[in-house]
Amino acid sequence: GNHFPALSKRIENVTKHTYNTIMGNQWKVAYTCHVLTKSINKHVFVYRQWEDAEIMVLLQVMYTDLDFISTFNIELDVLQQFLYEVYKRYNNIPFHNFKHCFCVTQMMYGLIWLTDLRSKIDSIDLLIMLTSAVCHDLDHTGYNNAYQINARTELALRYNDISPLENHHCAVAFEILEKTESNIFRNLTTEQYKRIREGIIKCILATDMSRHTEILNKFKAILPVFDFSNKDHRDVLMMIMIKVSDISNEARPMDVAEPWLDCLLQEFFNQSDMEKLEGLPVTPFMDRDKVTKPSSQTGFIRFVLFPLFIELANLFPCLETDLQEVLCLSRESIFASYQ
């Protein structure tokens, strides 16, 4: 909306310094929270304007706003250290970077509010979902699983070609959580921690696109009899929610979505260039000699995005207006601009 530039101006003098400086002034965090609460849970939230230090504050706002701090006795300094460790473990690559982490987490946070999930499932499941979004691409290399496997990288060898990246993202997340000073779950019971660990692993592994059809079909099968009190049903929903959040750029307005598409294509082209250089099979949808911006989106929107959003909207009809309308308008814009 038009209020975002003004919003940015209002808070830029609050959060232009390093994370530690910001976090040393709790009134600033409170003010940031006050200014942002009314906009951060919307799918149109403009996130590319924020600096990394500001993003860490916004992530803290989400944990606070969903009452995780009080419910799970998370100390603020531990949450801040956790977020800082997460920030350090995202690489400076075109797409799968810390800003992408924020984009996915903000969409998850927005969906939790849009669907009124707080009244439907336990807080611990919400904590799993938000933390999974934060950690879902930790230490991403910018080269996908196909490359890892074909190039026989260290990750592919370690994980026996089974979701090498996603397994690595999980492992890095729990490396961070093993440190007492950054373990946001350190005040929970052993049973609670076990449930959270299992849930985060399930969610992050679900972001492997090679499992897309399997997970979507599971969700479609249980939809007619979906029961929020059924753990298996909730597990599948949580996987669907992180999948939707992970590929949510196309559900945002065109001026927000298109710059991210440019970043994604840059990462794709870097991979295909490397594949050609190393004599590996070239991933067709990443080949800079064959791919255009509209062609890269047509199949993805039709066969991946729409089916996923439609099924989620079948469970939560409130999403139809919020997401699908924007999706259609965004796509019309992208294709019209390349006629």
Side-chain angles (χ1 to χ4, degrees):
N2 293 331
H3 62 285
F4 286 123
L7 175 64
S8 176
K9 198 71 181 167
R10 285 173 66 194
I11 108 165
E12 69 180 3
N13 60 350
V14 175
T15 52
K16 280 290 181 192
H17 307 296
T18 64
Y19 184 47
N20 288 337
T21 304
I22 297 166
M23 302 322 297
N25 295 274
Q26 289 304 315
W27 72 267
K28 289 184 177 181
V29 177
Y31 178 72
T32 305
C33 183
H34 169 72
V35 171
L36 288 169
T37 299
K38 293 193 186 304
S39 60
I40 198 174
N41 62 357
K42 304 293 192 297
H43 66 280
V44 296
F45 185 78
V46 179
Y47 47 90
R48 284 188 66 86
Q49 65 195 14
W50 307 107
E51 294 180 1
D52 291 339
E54 297 172 292
I55 286 172
M56 283 182 267
V57 177
L58 300 183
L59 291 171
Q60 180 179 319
V61 166
M62 296 179 206
Y63 276 82
T64 307
D65 197 36
L66 289 167
D67 293 327
F68 294 156
I69 309 296
S70 52
T71 306
F72 300 104
N73 193 17
I74 301 172
E75 296 109 327
L76 275 180
D77 61 328
V78 176
L79 175 59
Q80 290 157 16
Q81 188 61 34
F82 167 73
L83 294 172
Y84 182 62
E85 293 294 329
V86 163
Y87 159 72
K88 288 198 298 184
R89 297 303 296 270
Y90 274 93
N91 296 319
N92 185 21
I93 53 180
F95 184 84
H96 292 97
N97 50 41
F98 186 58
K99 283 187 170 66
H100 168 70
C101 148
F102 174 68
C103 148
V104 173
T105 307
Q106 184 269 327
M107 180 59 80
M108 178 69 85
Y109 169 82
L111 286 172
I112 287 169
W113 283 109
L114 279 171
T115 58
D116 192 27
L117 262 190
R118 295 181 78 193
S119 69
K120 298 177 175 74
I121 63 177
D122 293 347
S123 289
I124 200 162
D125 284 337
L126 300 178
L127 179 63
I128 287 167
M129 289 160 66
L130 197 77
T131 307
S132 297
V134 169
C135 298
H136 84 284
D137 270 333
L138 278 165
D139 198 34
H140 198 297
T141 61
Y143 299 92
N144 74 1
N145 283 333
Y147 175 85
Q148 305 293 330
I149 293 165
N150 289 331
R152 302 178 198 164
T153 65
E154 185 188 340
L155 290 185
L157 294 175
R158 182 182 306 153
Y159 296 111
N160 305 306
D161 295 351
I162 301 167
S163 303
L165 284 174
E166 292 73 22
N167 273 299
H168 181 59
H169 305 324
C170 283
V172 174
F174 285 98
E175 276 175 29
I176 292 169
L177 290 162
E178 276 301 302
K179 298 175 187 170
T180 307
E181 64 272 19
S182 53
N183 182 6
I184 55 173
F185 307 134
R186 69 185 192 181
N187 293 324
L188 302 184
T189 66
T190 305
E191 276 307 304
Q192 285 177 314
Y193 180 82
K194 187 178 173 185
R195 178 173 165 186
I196 285 173
R197 175 167 162 79
E198 176 195 315
I200 289 176
I201 292 170
K202 273 184 186 169
C203 282
I204 294 180
L205 291 183
T207 62
D208 181 350
M209 286 304 293
S210 71
R211 297 184 57 207
H212 175 77
T213 305
E214 166 215 335
I215 294 168
L216 184 57
N217 285 343
K218 266 188 195 173
F219 188 58
K220 286 162 81 169
I222 61 175
L223 259 180
V225 291
F226 194 90
D227 180 0
F228 283 101
S229 65
N230 182 316
K231 183 185 181 299
D232 291 337
H233 289 193
R234 289 198 312 273
D235 283 350
V236 178
L237 173 62
M238 288 160 71
M239 291 192 284
I240 289 289
M241 293 282 279
I242 194 164
K243 284 175 62 56
V244 166
S245 300
D246 192 21
I247 59 173
S248 61
N249 281 326
E250 305 300 342
R252 299 178 190 265
M254 191 59 202
D255 59 337
V256 179
E258 190 168 14
W260 277 108
L261 177 54
D262 294 332
C263 294
L264 183 62
L265 288 176
Q266 185 55 57
E267 209 169 277
F268 283 178
F269 295 158
N270 291 346
Q271 174 169 323
S272 66
D273 290 349
M274 186 66 77
E275 288 167 337
K276 291 171 186 176
L277 197 65
E278 297 180 353
L280 299 171
V282 178
T283 309
F285 63 86
M286 296 188 177
D287 192 339
R288 72 167 74 240
D289 298 324
K290 297 176 182 173
V291 174
T292 63
K293 197 183 288 189
S295 73
S296 73
Q297 292 302 283
T298 309
F300 181 75
I301 292 164
R302 185 177 300 160
F303 300 114
V304 178
L305 220 67
F306 269 127
L308 193 58
F309 276 64
I310 285 165
E311 297 307 333
L312 188 61
N314 282 337
L315 183 62
F316 300 113
C318 59
L319 294 181
E320 286 183 31
T321 310
D322 285 288
L323 295 176
Q324 291 190 28
E325 185 180 317
V326 177
L327 195 59
C328 292
L329 289 172
S330 296
R331 284 345 86 206
E332 284 169 12
S333 301
I334 193 168
F335 295 130
S337 64
Y338 288 93
Q339 292 299 316

